[in-house]
Amino acid sequence: MRLSRYFLPVLRDTPKEAEIVSHQLMLRSGMVKQSAAGIYSWLPLGLRVLTKIAEIVRQEQNRAGAIEILMPTMQSADLWRESGRYEAYGKEMLRIVDRQERDLLFGPTAEEVVTAIFRDSVRSYRDLPKNLYNIQWKFRDEIRPRFGVMRGREFLMKDAYSFDLTADGARKAYQRMFVAYLRTFARMGLKSIPMKADTGPIGGDLSHEFIILAETGESQVFCHKDLIEGAIPAADTDFDGDLSPIIEAWTSKYAATEDMHDAATFEANVPADSRVSARGIEVGHIFYFGTKYSEPMGARVQGPDGQMITVQMGSYGVGVSRLAGAIIEASHDAGGIIWPVPVAPFEVGLINLKAGDADTDRAATDLYVKLQAAGIDVLYDDTDERAGGKFATMDLIGLPYQLIVGPKGVKSGEAEVKARRTGARASMPMDAALAHVIDSVVSQRVLV
C-alpha cells in the first residue's frame, strides 16, 4: 500500500481525553476515532490489527475443535427471561423496544442465544460434545467508559460455548480452551498467565482469567516467577488427548488477581525470590458453569439409556478489540507502538527519503514490488513529507521493520534497515537489505 493513497490521519499531539498509553497511541496513530463515549470507529490501520488478532484467535479455536457460527448483536429479551438474567443483569444491558413493542437488547454476551440454538438443534448424546463460537460485537453500557478500547461500551469479542453430556466431559472442554488460550496469546507476542478468578454474573464454579503483564496494567497481580516463562503448548498438541499435565503445570503455582489474592498463602507457598507483584491486564476469561443455563432453558439430550439429560456447559471469552490496546500497553516506547510481527498492520515500512528523485523513486519502487511479490505486508511512504516526519510516523505506527532508501544510499547501492523493537540500524547492499527484512518477517510470523 502506498501511503500517498492510504487513509492514515495521524496526530502529532496527544489528545487531552486519552488517559492511558494505548488510548493515546491508538488515537495518534490513526487506528481509531471516537464516535460516542466508549464507542469507536476502527480506521484502516486499526482494522488491519483487529483482523489479524481475530484470525489468530480463530485459528486456535479451530485447532482446539471449536466450530464458528455468527450470532446476532440484537437478542430477544424473552431468552434472557428464560435464564433469569434479564432483570438481574443490571443497567449495563442496553434494553430496546422495537416498533411491535417487543423487548430486545444489544447483547453483552450470548449464553442464552447459543443455548437456544443448541436446544432447538441437538437431540442425542451421539451429537456431543460440541463447542460453538462466534466473533461478534458486544455492548455493555459502562457507567464510566474510559481508557479507549480497553474499557469501552462497544467491543469485539470471541465467545465460545461448550456442550457436554457429563461434568467430566465439560471439564475436558474447559481444558481444551485453557490450552488454546495459552497458544493464542503467545502467538501475539504476549506472555499470559492464567489466574483463578471470580465467576461474576456469568456463574459457575470454575473460572480463570488470562492476564498479561504490563507496567501500565489496570490491576495488581501476584504470581510465581516461573509462570512468566512457562512452556507454551506446541502447535501439534493433541487436543483430544490428556491435557491435564499442561493444566497442572500452569495452575500448580500461585497466581492471583488483586481480588483473589491471599497474602498469607502467597508468602507461605512462594519463596521470597520467586514472588512477582506486577500490574496486569485481563485479555481472556473462561468459565465452567454446569447447568446454569441449560437447566432453566431446557437444553437436554437423550442419553445412552433413553433418559433425558441436561447438558453441561462452559463459556470462553477473548476480548479481541481489547487485545489491540493491551498489546500496545505491553509493547511501546517513547516513539510510539512496537507491534509484534503477527499482529502488525503492516510488517515493513518502506521509506523513500526523496520522493520525486528519479533514481530514488526507481530503487524504492523496485523494493516495493519485490516485497509484495514475497508476500510481505508493506506500507510504502512515497509522500513528499520531510525525512524527520517520515521517521516519526513510522515509529509512531510501530511497524516491525523499516527499509529506508535515500539518494546517498542509492548511489552506493545500499539501503538502511531498522528494527523497530531494538532500534538497531544497519546499511547493507539493496539485495541483502531486502533478503534480511523478508527473512526476519517470515521467521516471526508464527511465534509458537
Side-chain angles (χ1 to χ4, degrees):
M1 175 59 67
R2 290 176 178 267
L3 185 54
S4 60
R5 301 173 186 170
Y6 201 53
F7 182 58
L8 186 66
V10 298
L11 304 175
R12 295 304 175 195
D13 298 320
T14 300
K16 293 180 180 179
E17 71 272 18
E19 301 177 59
I20 62 171
V21 170
S22 61
H23 192 194
Q24 295 167 2
L25 292 177
M26 290 182 81
L27 291 173
R28 287 190 56 211
S29 65
M31 287 181 64
V32 298
K33 181 174 177 57
Q34 183 169 307
S35 177
I39 302 173
Y40 292 85
S41 294
W42 288 77
L43 306 184
L45 198 76
L47 183 58
R48 290 180 71 94
V49 173
L50 200 63
T51 300
K52 289 192 173 185
I53 291 172
E55 184 55 27
I56 291 174
V57 171
R58 179 176 286 112
Q59 289 172 5
E60 293 303 326
Q61 289 295 289
N62 294 347
R63 190 195 302 272
I67 304 163
E68 187 171 11
I69 62 175
L70 185 62
M71 291 181 280
T73 57
M74 300 305 299
Q75 301 178 16
S76 168
D78 289 341
L79 290 176
W80 284 66
R81 290 187 176 108
E82 285 186 46
S83 72
R85 283 208 301 173
Y86 185 67
E87 299 298 338
Y89 201 88
K91 292 185 177 180
E92 286 73 29
M93 179 189 291
L94 181 61
R95 294 165 170 84
I96 301 164
V97 178
D98 70 11
R99 67 194 303 165
Q100 303 298 332
E101 299 299 318
R102 290 171 298 212
D103 292 328
L104 301 173
L105 59 102
F106 193 136
T109 182
E111 280 82 3
E112 284 79 3
V113 174
V114 77
T115 302
I117 290 171
F118 177 90
R119 174 188 65 193
D120 298 341
S121 308
V122 179
R123 298 284 184 265
S124 171
Y125 75 95
R126 293 185 179 89
D127 295 320
L128 297 179
K130 286 287 184 288
N131 189 326
L132 305 176
Y133 78 94
N134 84 159
I135 299 175
Q136 179 62 289
W137 292 95
K138 305 291 191 296
F139 190 92
R140 294 177 188 166
D141 199 5
E142 298 279 354
I143 188 171
R144 283 185 293 273
R146 53 182 179 157
F147 304 153
V149 302
M150 294 288 287
R151 190 168 292 176
R153 293 193 294 165
E154 185 182 55
F155 54 95
L156 187 61
M157 179 179 174
K158 186 284 302 182
D159 43 327
Y161 305 91
S162 61
F163 301 86
D164 287 89
L165 190 66
T166 66
D168 182 62
R171 290 180 182 274
K172 288 178 180 177
Y174 186 95
Q175 291 180 348
R176 286 192 287 272
M177 288 294 99
F178 189 107
V179 172
Y181 277 35
L182 290 173
R183 285 191 46 76
T184 296
F185 302 127
R187 284 188 56 188
M188 297 176 193
L190 300 171
K191 293 179 179 178
S192 68
I193 302 171
M195 300 187 175
K196 190 172 182 179
D198 182 23
T199 57
I202 300 295
D205 64 358
L206 180 60
S207 175
H208 283 88
E209 289 181 3
F210 285 75
I211 303 291
I212 63 168
L213 303 185
E215 291 182 4
T216 52
E218 60 195 338
S219 61
Q220 198 74 14
V221 296
F222 305 84
C223 69
H224 194 293
K225 71 175 183 180
D226 289 355
L227 293 173
I228 298 175
E229 299 297 336
I232 302 301
D236 62 356
T237 296
D238 180 7
F239 281 90
D240 292 323
D242 182 10
L243 300 176
S244 55
I246 298 174
I247 309 300
E248 175 67 18
W250 280 93
T251 58
S252 59
K253 290 185 169 64
Y254 189 93
T257 59
E258 200 166 16
D259 291 342
M260 303 291 285
H261 177 56
D262 183 292
T265 302
F266 185 49
E267 293 173 6
N269 289 276
V270 182
D273 60 355
S274 295
R275 295 173 195 159
V276 173
S277 174
R279 305 298 294 179
I281 300 170
E282 179 194 342
V283 289
H285 206 156
I286 61 177
F287 305 84
Y288 162 55
F289 44 66
T291 61
K292 177 180 173 65
Y293 301 95
S294 53
E295 179 66 40
M297 296 187 68
R300 300 178 179 86
V301 297
Q302 188 175 55
D305 60 359
Q307 298 296 311
M308 299 303 293
I309 299 172
T310 301
V311 296
Q312 300 281 324
M313 291 178 59
S315 71
Y316 317 92
V318 169
V320 176
S321 53
R322 182 181 176 84
L323 270 164
I327 293 169
I328 294 171
E329 292 290 335
S331 186
H332 67 273
D333 62 13
I337 303 165
I338 305 174
W339 290 115
V341 166
V343 294
F346 296 94
E347 296 161 322
V348 175
L350 174 61
I351 303 175
N352 181 337
L353 291 179
K354 194 171 184 181
D357 177 78
D359 291 338
T360 308
D361 286 349
R362 189 178 305 108
T365 300
D366 181 62
L367 290 171
Y368 179 53
V369 170
K370 289 176 178 176
L371 284 166
Q372 288 185 312
I376 303 298
D377 285 337
V378 55
L379 181 64
Y380 173 25
D381 188 344
D382 59 342
T383 68
D384 58 3
E385 172 74 71
R386 61 183 178 80
K390 294 188 178 210
F391 292 142
T393 295
M394 283 296 176
D395 281 354
L396 173 63
I397 66 176
L399 308 188
Y401 291 94
Q402 297 171 20
L403 188 54
I404 305 161
V405 182
K408 291 182 180 179
V410 169
K411 287 181 181 179
S412 61
E414 293 186 332
E416 187 176 26
V417 176
K418 176 181 175 180
R420 178 67 182 89
R421 183 164 298 279
T422 64
R425 304 171 73 125
S427 293
M428 56 188 79
M430 292 276 185
D431 288 345
L434 180 67
H436 175 75
V437 166
I438 292 172
D439 290 347
S440 298
V441 166
V442 171
S443 68
Q444 294 176 58
R445 276 180 171 164
V446 179
L447 296 180
V448 293

